Amino acid sequence: TVGVRALVPNKVLLLAGCAACVGGTFQYGYNISVINAPTKYVQDFVNQTWFERYNSVISESGLTLIWSTIVSIFTIGGLIGVTVGGTLSVKMGRKGTLLTNNIFALTGSLMMGFSYTTRSFELLIVGRLLIGINSGIGLCVQPLYLGEIAPTALRGAMGMGTSIFITAGILLGQVVGLREVLGREEYWPILLSTTCIPALLQLVMLPWFPESPRYLFIDRGEEEASKKALRQLHGRAWNQEWEDILKEKDNLEGFCAKKPWELLKDRSLRWQLLTIVLLNSAQQLNGINAIYFYASYLFEESGIPAEKIPYVTIGTGACECITALTCGILIEFLGRRVLIMGGYTLMSIFCVLFTLALTFQTASPVVPYISMVCVFAFILSFGLGPGGVTNILTTELFTQTARPAAYVIAGSVNWLNFFFIGLVFPFVVIGLQQYCFLVFLVICSLMATYIFFIIPETKNKTFMEIQNEFRLSLHQRRDQAPTWANDTLQTSAA
C-alpha cells in the first residue's frame, strides 16, 4: 500500500503540473497543428491583400515565400525562446518565467486575430514569431519546473506531462481545425487567435501554486519558502525530499548556475552533454515527421475520400496522445532506459516494414492498409519512448546549477533540427522516395545502441546519485576500453 501511495501524486502537485503544462508545452503542440487547417484560406487572404495594395496578383513563388515564412518563423521564434528561457528561469524563477511568458502568447494571438481586419499579413508573421518564442521558453522552462517540484519516485511520471500536453495540443489543434468547429474560411482569424485561451488559463491557475522548492533553496537560499513549498506540494512526505535537496545544496556549495558556454567547457559533464545533444537531435531526425508527411498520401492510396482524411488524421494525433499517457503510467515501473531503447528498436523495425510496404504497394490491394498499420505502429513506438523520455533524461542527467544551461543547449539543438528537417526533408523524399526511411532506420538503430551502452537507468534515483553513477559507469568503460581509447575517456571523465 505504501508503494502504491508513493506512485500517486499529491492533488496539489498534480494540479501544479497541469497549470504549468497548459500554458507551456501544450502551446507548442497546439500551434504546430492548428496552422495546417487554414492553409488555403490564409493563402487566399495574402493574395487578396496583395491585390488591394498593389493592384496586381502576387506571383506563385511570392505567395509560397510568404506562406512558408508564416509557417517557418515559428521555429525561429522557438530558437530565440529557448536561448533566453534558461537565463530567465534563473533570474525570475521557473514559475515566474512561465507566467511572464504568456505575454508573448497573448500578444501573438491578438496580432494574428486582427490581421484580417487590418488587412496585414505581416501581423501573421510577427504573431507566429511571438508564439514561437512562447513555445521555446515553455519547452525549456516547464520541464525544469516539473522535474524540480516532483518527488524522486514520481519524477518520471510528472516529467511525462511535457509529452502528454504536447500530444494533447496537437490533437486539440486538429479537432478545432475541422470544418464543423473553426475550420471554415470565415473563422480562420479566430482559429489562429485561440492560442490566447491556454495562456489565460495558466495566468488564472499557476499563481495559486508555489515556486520550485529546489530553486528557492539552492539558487536563492530561501529555506523557509522552500520548506513551505515542499509541504504544499508533497504533503506529509516532504521531509525525505528536503533531505535530498540539502545533500544537493551541500555538494553544490559555492557553485553558481552555469551559462551554456560554461557547460560546453566542463569536461566532467561532457558525456551527459553529448547524450542530450544526440537524444534531442534524434527526436527530430528519427522519421516521425516523415511518417506524418506520408500519412495523408497513404490514406488516399487506401481509398479514403479526401474530405474524410482530416478525420483519419485525428486518429494519428489521438494515437500519440494515448501512448504518451501509457508511457506516463509505465515509466516508473519499467524505467526510462527500457522505454526509450525499446521505442527506438521498434521504430527501426517499422522503418524496414514501412519501406517494404511502400515499395510493393501495388502488389496487392491489402498493402496500403499494411502501410497504414505501420504508420500507427511507428507513432505508437515514438510516443512510448523517445517522445516522452527525452525531456525527462535532460532533467535527470544534470544537477541544479547545470540544468538550465542543459535545457538551453538541448532546446537549441531540438529547434535547429526541427528547422533542418523541414528544410531538407522534401528534397530527401524527392531523391530517395520510399527509401528515405532507410536513413531513419540507421538513426533509430544507432540511438538504441548508444542508449544500451552509455545511458544508466535513472528511475528512483536522486540527481546526485545519477551524477555519481554516470561518472562511475564512464570510469568502468575507461578501464575496459582498448588502450587507444583510454586517453579520450580519461579526458572526458576527468
Side-chain angles (χ1 to χ4, degrees):
T1 308
V2 175
V4 173
R5 284 178 182 173
L7 294 175
V8 178
N10 181 295
K11 182 174 69 174
V12 175
L13 179 65
L14 184 62
L15 291 174
C18 291
C21 292
V22 75
T25 52
F26 179 88
Q27 290 278 33
Y28 170 75
Y30 186 77
N31 284 287
I32 282 177
S33 66
V34 80
I35 195 68
N36 294 323
T39 297
K40 183 179 181 302
Y41 307 139
V42 174
Q43 289 177 341
D44 289 344
F45 164 68
V46 172
N47 209 349
Q48 293 167 9
T49 304
W50 190 275
F51 186 81
E52 290 170 4
R53 289 183 188 177
Y54 306 109
N55 202 28
S56 64
V57 177
I58 190 172
S59 65
E60 186 175 343
S61 59
L63 180 61
T64 303
L65 177 62
I66 292 173
W67 170 246
S68 62
T69 301
I70 292 170
V71 174
S72 62
I73 200 73
F74 177 77
T75 61
I76 305 300
L79 185 58
I80 295 170
V82 79
T83 54
V84 301
T87 303
L88 290 175
S89 70
V90 174
K91 293 184 179 297
M92 303 176 64
R94 290 30 167 169
K95 174 185 166 184
T97 302
L98 287 172
L99 288 171
T100 306
N101 188 33
N102 290 298
I103 294 171
F104 295 107
L106 293 172
T107 307
S109 66
L110 282 173
M111 286 186 169
M112 292 188 292
F114 284 110
S115 59
Y116 182 80
T117 54
T118 58
R119 313 302 290 174
S120 173
F121 56 79
E122 290 86 354
L123 285 180
L124 284 175
I125 296 172
V126 178
R128 284 283 292 177
L129 176 68
L130 293 174
I131 291 296
I133 293 172
N134 170 270
S135 299
I137 294 173
L139 272 172
C140 177
V141 181
Q142 180 209 295
L144 267 177
Y145 183 71
L146 294 183
E148 292 177 8
I149 66 172
T152 302
L154 281 170
R155 199 168 55 228
M158 285 291 293
M160 278 305 301
T162 296
S163 178
I164 291 168
F165 275 81
I166 288 175
T167 55
I170 291 171
L171 178 60
L172 188 61
Q174 291 170 338
V175 171
V176 174
L178 293 174
R179 285 187 58 81
E180 291 81 356
V181 189
L182 292 175
R184 297 183 182 180
E185 184 172 7
E186 61 269 27
Y187 295 146
W188 72 259
I190 300 173
L191 175 62
L192 294 183
S193 65
T194 52
T195 191
C196 69
I197 298 174
L200 292 171
L201 281 173
Q202 186 177 73
L203 286 172
V204 171
M205 295 169 62
L206 191 56
W208 296 95
F209 301 101
E211 177 59 88
S212 157
R214 289 179 180 273
Y215 171 77
L216 288 171
F217 185 53
I218 298 175
D219 289 84
R220 294 176 56 175
E222 298 179 10
E223 182 174 341
E224 289 306 315
S226 178
K227 288 181 178 178
K228 182 180 178 182
L230 277 175
R231 283 192 288 266
Q232 189 176 350
L233 290 166
H234 299 173
R236 295 178 182 177
W238 70 274
N239 283 307
Q240 184 177 350
E241 201 64 27
W242 175 247
E243 290 174 8
D244 291 337
I245 293 175
L246 280 175
K247 289 177 185 176
E248 190 172 350
K249 170 77 169 175
D250 291 339
N251 276 277
L252 298 174
E253 195 68 45
F255 289 91
C256 298
K258 292 179 182 291
K259 303 291 190 295
W261 54 89
E262 292 172 338
L263 194 60
L264 290 169
K265 294 177 183 177
D266 190 341
R267 291 182 176 180
S268 67
L269 296 173
R270 185 165 292 177
W271 281 94
Q272 288 96 313
L273 195 59
L274 175 63
T275 297
I276 64 161
V277 167
L278 291 176
L279 286 174
N280 281 274
S281 296
Q283 195 173 32
Q284 293 296 339
L285 304 177
N286 58 24
I288 190 68
N289 296 302
I291 286 289
Y292 280 121
F293 177 86
Y294 268 98
S296 295
Y297 167 74
L298 290 173
F299 297 152
E300 288 177 12
E301 289 295 310
S302 302
I304 297 171
E307 65 274 12
K308 300 293 183 184
I309 287 177
Y311 302 93
V312 182
T313 304
I314 289 175
T316 62
C319 183
E320 193 173 350
C321 192
I322 290 168
T323 51
L325 286 166
T326 306
C327 184
I329 296 169
L330 295 177
I331 194 165
E332 296 300 352
F333 294 96
L334 297 179
R336 290 64 154 149
R337 198 165 174 268
V338 169
L339 285 174
I340 194 167
M341 186 168 58
Y344 274 119
T345 302
L346 288 173
M347 289 167 76
S348 302
I349 293 169
F350 289 117
C351 277
V352 175
L353 295 177
F354 197 58
T355 301
L356 291 173
L358 288 174
T359 303
F360 300 106
Q361 63 179 344
T362 56
S364 166
V366 179
V367 176
Y369 293 96
I370 296 174
S371 300
M372 284 180 62
V373 171
C374 288
V375 167
F376 285 98
F378 193 92
I379 293 170
L380 282 167
S381 303
F382 173 77
L384 198 60
V389 181
T390 299
N391 267 317
I392 295 169
L393 286 174
T394 306
T395 299
E396 294 182 332
L397 294 183
F398 296 89
T399 51
Q400 189 77 10
T401 55
R403 200 174 296 121
Y407 264 101
V408 170
I409 294 170
S412 299
V413 168
N414 206 310
W415 283 100
L416 284 170
N417 280 289
F418 186 7
F419 180 76
F420 174 79
I421 198 72
L423 188 68
V424 173
F425 177 68
F427 299 101
V428 174
V429 173
I430 292 170
L432 298 178
Q433 297 181 3
Q434 72 270 22
Y435 299 108
C436 69
F437 285 93
L438 297 180
V439 176
F440 304 127
L441 166 65
V442 172
I443 292 170
C444 292
S445 301
L446 288 176
M447 279 311 305
T449 305
Y450 180 85
I451 292 161
F452 179 79
F453 285 106
I454 300 295
I455 301 178
E457 180 54 68
T458 59
K459 184 182 81 168
N460 289 335
K461 294 173 184 173
T462 66
F463 295 124
M464 292 307 303
E465 287 172 343
I466 294 166
Q467 191 88 339
N468 292 333
E469 184 172 337
F470 212 96
R471 287 174 180 170
L472 179 63
S473 65
L474 289 173
H475 280 297
Q476 290 173 344
R477 279 194 291 275
R478 181 198 65 191
D479 296 336
Q480 296 168 3
T483 306
W484 61 267
N486 275 339
D487 292 338
T488 303
L489 285 169
Q490 277 181 334
T491 303
S492 299

